[in-house]
Each structure stands twice: as C-alpha cells, then as structure tokens.
Amino acid sequence: TLVVSFSRPGSRAIGDRVRQLSKQLGLRPIQVRTFHSLCYQMMHLLGKKPVMVKKVRLPKQLQGNNTYFNRRWYNAILVDLFVGELSKLPQTGSDGGGWGQTINDYESILDSIRSGHPSLQAVIVRSDELDRPTLPDELSLRDGGKSLPRESVLKVLQAYERELMSRRLIDYAGMVGICLHALRTDANFRLQMQTRIAHLLVDEFQDTSRAQEEMMRLLVGPLSGLTVVGDNDQTIFTFNGSDVSNILEFSKRNTQA
C-alpha cells in the first residue's frame, strides 16, 4: 500500500498516524510519500539522478519599478535565457513589473502547460507536443487577465529543455513530466510500478494537478485498489496547477476506484 499526499505537512501528519496504527494492529509498514518524493524515486528507477534548478534574484539591470518582482526568486535558467530568448519576445510587464514580470509570466506558463493547462486537452510533457497547429494560438496565464502567444511559449520551452539537458538539471514540473511520459510510453516500467502498489491512497486530492492525476491513474494496475480523500471547497493550490475538476469528476474518470 502506498499513501501519497500533496504537501509535506500532510505527508508527515498521515505518516505519524499510519505508523501508530500499523504498530497497534501489527501491520506491515506502509509507505507515505509526497508526489515530489514519489517522482524522485521513480526518476532513480529510470536511471536518472535529478538535480533541481536553483532559484536566483533578479539582476539589477533587469529590475523595474515593482518591488515585488524585484525581490522575488526566479528560475535561474530562465534568467540566463533572458538575453538569448526572452528579451526578443513580447514583454508582459506593462504594469511596472518590467522584465521580472515577463520572466515570471513565462515561468508560470511553462509550469502550467506541463501541469495541465485549462486550454489544452492533454498535459504537455515535451516541447514537440506543443508544436501542433490544432492547439490554441494564445495561452492564458493563471490570473486569467493576460495571455502569451503559443509560438513564443514554444520557443522558450524548447530553449529551456535544451538548457536543462545541457546542465543535467530538472525542475518539479519537468520531473513529473518525465515520470508521466515514462508511464505513458514504457509498458515495462508502468508494469514495474503497478506491481509495487497493491492499493494507492491519495490525500489532499483537491490539490493535485492534471499531470499528477494522470500519473496516479497510470500507477494503478488492474488488480490495484484506489482511494482518494479531498474536499473541493479547500482547493488552495490553483497557482501551482491544481485542478478542482480532478475531484469533481473523479467517479467518471476512475471507474475502478
């Protein structure tokens, strides 16, 4: 049995309760993980050693008049890509955020499409999947007030993937994407993971992204059980790609649960 929770505090709380109950009832230890640690384990099974992209402050020459964007932390690769890629693309920082807001917006959209963008039917795990004429020409940002051209997002994603590969780094959305792609395309790996899980319980299900929800469904084999726990009134991680439809439409998508 595997228990997966969205957050570290949730994982620790469940882990404490599960260990107490297992000891009292004489049961075998039950694994309790976050989605992040589960993906980290899967990466190692795939023969990859994930090293996460660092966060950096915005260089002074890129700062604008908005204190929030000047002081926040940014994806180090996207800051490095500014001169080569982002500076040639439309600037989104029209309300004073400057290039910091532009970098932030592209970072947000890259995370969104790889977590499950609402305008896209499928989760994008590789840049070539975004290069399709049937997809929308504009992709909305999470705040809903602005959008970015899909062609521009594609250029940034392609450059970002090249840098990740060159530097042998990964980010969280990319780590989920690699695991999801492996589960989609590698039947042997999918079976290997499914045979490890007799029953999967997912806590805080209302905060899962579409990518995590698809990964969860692929982890459950024909002989596995599936239980989810969540409250659609407590969805608080929409900024991080969570999709409340996961819990609202759970029974339709998961008939084996």
Side-chain angles (χ1 to χ4, degrees), residues 30-82:
I30 295 175
Q31 290 189 66
V32 180
R33 294 181 176 274
T34 61
F35 270 104
H36 183 279
S37 65
L38 175 60
C39 287
Y40 194 86
Q41 179 194 43
M42 292 170 66
M43 290 283 287
H44 280 276
L45 291 174
L46 290 167
K48 303 178 185 295
K49 297 181 180 179
V51 179
M52 305 302 288
V53 177
K54 292 182 179 180
K55 295 285 187 176
V56 297
R57 296 283 193 183
L58 194 67
K60 288 187 177 180
Q61 64 270 25
L62 301 183
Q63 293 181 7
N65 299 321
N66 189 303
T67 303
Y68 168 78
F69 288 108
N70 291 342
R71 291 182 176 179
R72 76 181 307 277
W73 293 89
Y74 295 86
N75 181 300
I77 291 180
L78 289 179
V79 172
D80 290 344
L81 282 174
F82 170 81

Side-chain angles (χ1 to χ4, degrees), residues 102-254:
T102 298
I103 296 171
N104 178 74
D105 286 344
Y106 277 99
E107 181 176 351
S108 175
I109 201 73
L110 292 190
D111 284 347
S112 179
I113 62 176
R114 294 177 298 158
S115 299
H117 192 282
S119 298
L120 303 174
Q121 290 186 349
V123 175
I124 301 295
V125 297
R126 296 162 56 154
S127 60
D128 60 296
E129 298 173 354
L130 193 61
D131 189 15
R132 296 173 181 171
T134 55
L135 299 180
D137 292 332
E138 294 283 325
L139 296 172
S140 61
L141 292 167
R142 285 176 181 153
D143 60 13
K146 294 180 295 185
S147 64
L148 291 168
R150 178 171 56 87
E151 183 179 354
S152 298
V153 176
L154 174 60
K155 290 179 180 178
V156 175
L157 181 55
Q158 289 171 333
Y160 185 60
E161 286 181 341
R162 288 194 297 269
E163 287 299 314
L164 286 174
M165 184 174 296
S166 174
R167 305 184 193 192
R168 298 182 180 180
L169 297 174
I170 195 70
D171 62 7
Y172 178 62
M175 185 160 61
V176 174
I178 288 173
C179 295
L180 178 55
H181 180 71
L183 289 169
R184 283 174 175 175
T185 61
D186 189 335
N188 290 330
F189 178 69
R190 185 167 63 249
L191 181 61
Q192 179 187 6
M193 292 302 304
Q194 290 175 350
T195 53
R196 289 168 173 253
I197 302 172
H199 194 99
L200 177 63
L201 188 152
V202 181
D203 188 37
E204 299 177 301
F205 187 65
Q206 75 279 353
D207 290 322
T208 55
S209 68
R210 283 172 55 201
Q212 292 167 332
E213 194 264 352
E214 183 180 349
M215 188 175 75
M216 175 204 77
R217 285 189 281 113
L218 291 171
L219 285 170
V220 177
L223 301 179
S224 305
L226 173 62
T227 302
V228 302
V229 180
D231 183 350
N232 58 288
D233 288 330
Q234 295 187 26
T235 302
I236 58 175
F237 286 99
T238 53
F239 69 90
N240 204 32
S242 66
D243 188 342
V244 72
S245 69
N246 288 347
I247 192 168
L248 296 177
E249 299 180 10
F250 175 79
S251 60
K252 297 179 182 178
R253 300 179 187 177
N254 304 275

